[in-house]
Amino acid sequence: MTTFASSLKKEIARVARKELKDELGALRKASASYRTEIAALKRQVRELQVALRQTSRRADKALHTVAPDAPAESPKRGRRAVFSAERFKAQRERLGLTQKDMAAYLGTSTLSVWKWETGQVTPRARFLPAILGLRTTGKREVLQQLARGAGGATD
């Protein structure tokens, strides 16, 4: 009876393995295709995140600059004044100032003036009134204030 029982057990195990083999094969194929699809979706999400960051940077930059041919906005009319790196550099050159002189006039560092002119950063709000005031200030007036040691910005 022992041989019959053991033979029966072996046969049942063999049939069970045979049945499971087909089902496991299908599951393995499905699992592999799901992993491939997940990897592709992860790549797509990363690409979209990069595109979103680039777009938000461009939008932030666009908010802080105005096209050169656009009319200058005046804070007195209730409009928000917009800083433009190109106009700031042109203003400094129009006044005949070096970056060091401009930094002394505004009460900031030469590196800050350079970064403002290259568009890497925008000035803080406390410097904007002095920068916007340069639009109506002449070269002699700025040189006189530099000679006295009084800049346009107050800390």
Side-chain angles (χ1 to χ4, degrees):
M1 194 73 150
T2 318
T3 53
F4 179 73
S6 66
S7 298
L8 183 62
K9 278 185 185 179
K10 288 179 183 177
E11 186 61 25
I12 291 172
R14 185 187 68 76
V15 170
R17 279 193 304 271
K18 185 178 178 184
E19 289 291 322
L20 287 176
K21 185 178 180 182
D22 294 336
E23 290 181 27
L24 286 177
L27 288 174
R28 285 185 182 121
K29 285 181 183 178
S31 176
S33 69
Y34 295 150
R35 275 188 258 122
T36 304
E37 190 176 339
I38 289 170
L41 289 172
K42 283 182 179 180
R43 281 192 299 274
Q44 187 178 8
V45 166
R46 268 188 249 120
E47 290 169 2
L48 289 172
Q49 286 173 336
V50 167
L52 177 65
R53 270 188 248 121
Q54 290 173 347
T55 304
S56 67
R57 285 182 191 144
R58 284 189 207 123
D60 287 344
K61 209 171 208 180
L63 287 175
H64 295 295
T65 59
V66 172
D69 55 344
E73 297 177 12
S74 171
K76 294 179 184 176
R77 288 188 233 144
R79 294 184 181 175
R80 183 174 155 256
V82 178
F83 176 79
S84 168
E86 295 83 21
R87 285 191 289 173
F88 178 68
K89 183 176 182 178
Q91 185 69 27
R92 179 183 62 80
E93 291 171 348
R94 180 187 69 83
L95 294 171
L97 298 175
T98 63
Q99 288 180 345
K100 185 176 180 179
D101 292 337
M102 181 63 83
Y105 178 79
L106 296 173
T108 187
S109 69
T110 308
L111 181 62
S112 294
V113 171
W114 177 78
K115 284 185 176 183
W116 295 344
E117 286 184 357
T118 58
Q120 292 181 8
V121 294
T122 56
R124 293 188 178 179
R126 66 181 177 149
F127 294 110
L128 285 179
I131 292 171
L132 295 175
L134 286 172
R135 292 180 183 173
T136 59
T137 307
K139 184 175 180 177
R140 288 184 196 155
E141 194 175 331
V142 171
L143 293 176
Q144 287 173 353
Q145 288 182 358
L146 280 172
R148 284 187 298 213
T154 58
D155 289 330

